Amino acid sequence: AKMPQITLRALFLTFLLPVSAWHLTDSFVGHSFFDGFDFYTWVDPTNGFVNFVDERTARMEEMIWTKDDYAYMGADYKHLAPYGRNSIRVTSKKAWANGLVILIMDHMPGGQCGTWPAFWTAGAQWPNEGEIDIIEGVNKGTVNQMTLHSDFGCEMPWTGRNQTGKVTSIDCNSYADTNRGCSVVPNQLNTYGEDFNHVGGGAYAMELTNHGVKIWFFTKSKMPADIASNDPNPDGWPIPDGNWPFNSNCTSDHFGPQQIIFDLTFCGVWAGAVYRDSGCPGISCNDFVANNPAAFQDYYFGIKSLKVYQ
């Protein structure tokens, strides 16, 4: 039998279209957002001036809430906090081996003195299974910092990485250089804090495969259409902001299945250590955070969606 021409044409067209390798497996949106997360209530491992509260307290104090397709996650900004400010740290119940994580927000924390927000992923056996910091900054910072942390034997090249961001450190080993990690700083504007919020937010995407880690930042107006349609194809996107290729100097087995973490801490080993150099007021970081609750009203994640593709 002769094959109908229409089918041949359809077949031909399918080969021309870019086919996404990624399929939506997990969606954290609105009312159900926090169902996928556990609330961390132990001492902050980064020595922050903070008390991470449980879900019940967080809801009662309106530090988390959801409405329709929106999820809010912030710190206490109503009370004096002589023993550390109440705040949030959540970890996903699931872990994903390889995947594409896309976070869309209309508001992110950061830019306030004393703050140290982060959106990141980590393996169960830190640092043996790696850590990927997608969003991180401190105090009055205006630029995001993207960093990988690992165990021994993971080093990145300075050049030739096919990325738009700037390499600031190359040794991912957590035991070297006070756990500095291997960082890239984006060259784009509006990647962090108040600047991000002024342009109406945007998206961060992180892809982890056996070939390496890539991170993209998009402002709201530049977001690829295939993100909105839940059919993302990173091969068709612009060059990533950060690219950490796995090779003989850093093999893929340094990064195990990753859990997703949001946290909003204060002071501690980074924000506290550089507080005086950041043009921030007061006697100390802890003192400022304890006594200025209203300074932290904008210290929150306003999340439209978090999606994981595999």
Side-chain angles (χ1 to χ4, degrees):
K2 251 178 83 175
M3 205 174 196
Q5 274 186 312
I6 181 84
T7 321
L8 276 173
R9 182 174 156 74
L11 267 174
F12 180 67
L13 281 174
T14 51
F15 287 121
L16 291 180
L17 293 170
V19 178
S20 172
W22 298 113
H23 304 284
L24 182 63
T25 57
D26 300 271
S27 188
F28 306 87
V29 180
H31 291 305
S32 63
F33 184 91
F34 292 103
D35 298 350
F37 288 88
D38 290 320
F39 282 69
Y40 174 98
T41 54
W42 312 104
V43 171
D44 178 12
T46 61
N47 294 330
F49 189 66
V50 68
N51 306 307
F52 291 126
V53 302
D54 60 21
E55 183 170 2
R56 187 168 164 266
T57 307
R59 287 193 188 275
M60 269 172 32
E61 297 283 331
E62 295 184 326
M63 292 158 60
I64 63 166
W65 50 261
T66 58
K67 188 178 182 208
D68 303 328
D69 289 346
Y70 195 75
Y72 170 100
M73 193 181 341
D76 167 53
Y77 60 86
K78 297 168 186 168
H79 307 99
L80 294 173
Y83 307 110
R85 186 156 294 287
N86 282 2
S87 194
I88 307 290
R89 174 169 166 157
V90 294
T91 306
S92 65
K93 291 174 178 172
K94 277 181 76 169
W96 298 267
N98 278 356
L100 175 67
V101 178
I102 303 180
L103 174 67
I104 303 178
M105 300 174 286
D106 72 0
H107 187 284
M108 79 153 76
Q112 303 86 4
C113 283
T115 59
W116 180 1
F119 166 61
W120 49 298
T121 71
Q125 299 297 317
W126 192 93
N128 303 342
E129 293 185 275
E131 171 186 331
I132 301 166
D133 299 329
I134 303 164
I135 299 173
E136 192 176 22
V138 293
N139 297 316
K140 291 161 94 170
T142 58
V143 181
N144 184 34
Q145 180 171 295
M146 308 170 292
T147 309
L148 267 54
H149 298 272
S150 69
D151 58 358
F152 298 99
C154 176
E155 202 167 282
M156 289 292 151
W158 278 107
T159 55
R161 299 213 344 220
N162 196 28
Q163 61 181 21
T164 59
K166 176 182 172 227
V167 178
T168 55
S169 55
I170 60 161
D171 193 349
C172 312
N173 175 9
S174 300
Y175 303 103
D177 198 12
T178 62
N179 190 24
R180 186 178 178 189
C182 49
S183 298
V184 174
V185 172
N187 274 316
Q188 289 195 68
L189 299 171
N190 309 313
T191 58
Y192 184 75
E194 291 170 17
D195 294 344
F196 175 91
N197 301 333
H198 285 157
V199 295
Y204 271 93
M206 185 277 286
E207 182 183 59
L208 169 63
T209 67
N210 295 333
H211 302 294
V213 174
K214 294 176 181 175
I215 297 176
W216 289 262
F217 164 69
F218 304 107
T219 54
K220 189 179 168 183
S221 59
K222 296 269 174 73
M223 215 183 294
D226 60 14
I227 288 181
S229 63
N230 291 332
D231 193 27
N233 179 33
D235 291 344
W237 294 352
I239 293 170
D241 295 79
N243 185 11
W244 295 259
F246 294 145
N247 53 37
S248 56
N249 292 322
C250 181
T251 48
S252 61
D253 55 9
H254 287 280
F255 290 83
Q258 300 285 301
Q259 287 173 287
I260 295 171
I261 304 166
F262 292 87
D263 79 276
L264 293 153
T265 189
F266 298 94
C267 306
V269 296
W270 185 10
V274 299
Y275 185 82
R276 287 184 185 283
D277 308 329
S278 304
C280 286
I283 321 163
S284 68
C285 187
N286 290 10
D287 181 71
F288 180 79
V289 170
N291 293 305
N292 296 278
F296 307 109
Q297 192 160 349
D298 267 350
Y299 190 43
Y300 70 88
F301 288 101
I303 298 169
K304 292 177 154 184
S305 67
L306 169 66
K307 292 178 180 175
V308 180
Y309 298 81
Q310 287 199 287

